[in-house]
Amino acid sequence: MQPRTYDAAYPGGYPSSRRRVPSAPGCAVYAQDAGELLPGNATTRFDDVALVSVASVLPGRVTTSDDIEDRLAPALHRLKLKPGLLRRVAGVNERRNWAAGESSDEATIAAGKQALAEAGVDPSEIGLIINTSVTRKHLEPSVAVRLHHGLGLPSSAINFDVANACLGFINGMSLAAGMIQSGQVRYALIVNGEDADEIQVNTINRLVREDLDRDAFMQEFASLTLGSGAAAAVLGRASDHPEGHRLVGGVTRAATEFYDLCVGSVDGMFTDAKALLKGGLDLVVSAWKEAKGEFSWTGMDRYITHQVSSVHTSAIVRAAKLDRTRVPVTYPHLGNVGPASIPITLADEQHTLRRGDRVLLMGVGSGLNTGMLELAW
């Protein structure tokens, strides 16, 4: 059974039945009752990791939902679907696409440089870069090697990709936090760059075919909500950055029986939207309830959720009983930017946060997986 790390400043204190046991320097492993480790190897706390900076770079071209529906007009008419479907059903008014001379790789490098500059961290100090994008131009080498080179990181910096659909960025942060906590690296850079252009074009071309029925159209509807963008975050030791935003800890949980509800490639994304929403909600609520023994998340100052649609956001708010005013949204003007949506939304929201605010990152990835990570701002 794996030990877990815990923050020394747990809100409200630890339950009286929990006692501290000897552990490695820098880690505090807690046992319950007669020395038994607490259940759940995917429930983690950190005591010396901070988010030092987060930055985003957005594409220069705006594609409205009206633009897309104009191209889909023959299919909408044939299938008797009312105009305004994307706005009405998903709440997506527009999304971004890369303009001429722009690319997801270059934008990700730019986001990384911006995050490093804002953190006051020199590239030579980075010991780890994790790329978390769904988008990739080839199967190998990793996308991370291109970004490592473009950012001018040292040969000693570990670099690799983490692919877990829309949950990738939170997974990357958790992995990096564990390596910082254990002393393997001092600074980590988590990056993501998404390019929805090709899948968008391929989907529209397929949806206007005469042989496509209404069910097949709706199965690909989610592809039309996708947008492009890039983001980066620098993580380091909280003891080195008292001005940083401490990673408190979080949970990850899986419901992999739903592995085939949302399957995507550059050709298209095929989704059983109704079953995916229900499975995702059940998983999030289950993880939320399991986390109650370790965390108190009912009064957070901000909930940064994965940006999918108005339907998804409303469902999460109702299921977890969140205060809607504390759930910022970017999907109306950016669409679903995959794993980049959480850091982009956090970067957009950071100027409204005050010292001492509590922030919960809430992600869901097709497969299904969910991850929640608390920050003490």
Side-chain angles (χ1 to χ4, degrees), residues 90-333:
V92 176
N93 302 321
E94 60 188 34
R95 76 283 294 135
R96 299 292 187 96
N97 294 106
W98 301 111
E102 298 177 339
S103 72
S104 58
D105 281 357
E106 291 305 319
T108 306
I109 291 168
K113 289 180 177 179
Q114 183 180 335
L116 288 168
E118 292 179 3
V121 174
D122 191 88
S124 63
E125 299 180 89
I126 294 295
L128 169 70
I129 177 172
I130 302 177
N131 168 65
T132 64
S133 65
V134 172
T135 298
R136 58 190 61 246
K137 296 177 182 177
H138 39 67
L139 292 177
E140 64 173 302
S142 69
V143 179
V145 298
R146 167 75 178 90
L147 306 177
H148 180 284
H149 174 72
L151 286 161
L153 302 185
S155 175
S156 56
I158 304 165
N159 59 95
F160 55 84
D161 293 349
V162 166
N164 196 15
C166 294
L167 195 59
F169 205 92
I170 289 182
N171 290 149
M173 290 181 68
S174 297
L175 280 172
M179 293 178 72
I180 292 169
Q181 179 83 35
S182 69
Q184 294 180 70
V185 299
R186 185 178 179 188
Y187 289 106
L189 183 61
I190 316 304
V191 296
N192 184 279
E194 300 299 336
D195 185 347
D197 294 19
E198 188 174 359
I199 188 174
Q200 195 176 92
V201 170
N202 290 341
T203 299
I204 291 172
N205 288 341
R206 186 165 44 253
L207 292 181
V208 295
R209 287 189 343 222
E210 292 287 337
D211 61 338
L212 209 73
D213 63 19
R214 189 171 179 139
D215 287 342
F217 184 98
M218 295 310 296
Q219 191 180 34
E220 296 198 60
F221 179 77
S223 299
L224 303 176
T225 68
L226 298 177
S228 302
V234 174
L235 271 60
R237 298 173 189 157
S239 52
D240 291 340
H241 292 273
E243 80 290 352
H245 317 298
R246 193 166 47 82
L247 270 69
V248 176
V251 300
T252 63
R253 293 293 185 270
T256 53
E257 63 269 28
F258 300 119
Y259 68 92
D260 60 350
L261 291 184
C262 181
V263 179
S265 69
V266 294
D267 293 325
M269 186 167 69
F270 303 88
T271 305
D272 183 338
K274 187 177 292 187
L276 186 68
L277 178 61
K278 184 182 185 306
L281 279 177
D282 289 347
L283 178 61
V284 169
V285 171
S286 174
W288 180 275
K289 289 179 179 177
E290 286 184 40
K292 281 186 176 179
E294 305 297 320
F295 302 95
S296 177
W297 287 337
T298 55
M300 306 300 286
D301 296 286
R302 213 71 91 246
Y303 297 94
I304 307 296
T305 64
H306 172 46
Q307 304 291 302
V308 179
S309 68
S310 55
V311 174
H312 176 273
T313 301
S314 295
I316 290 289
V317 167
R318 288 194 302 269
K321 297 180 174 60
L322 307 182
D323 181 346
R324 185 64 182 259
T325 65
R326 300 183 182 189
V327 184
V329 296
T330 53
Y331 65 80
H333 61 280

Side-chain angles (χ1 to χ4, degrees), residues 20-29:
R20 188 166 183 164
V21 296
S23 61
C27 298
V29 181

Side-chain angles (χ1 to χ4, degrees), residues 1 19 30-39:
M1 192 176 286
R19 63 182 182 83
Y30 289 82
Q32 186 87 12
D33 301 325
E36 180 185 357
L37 286 174
L38 290 166

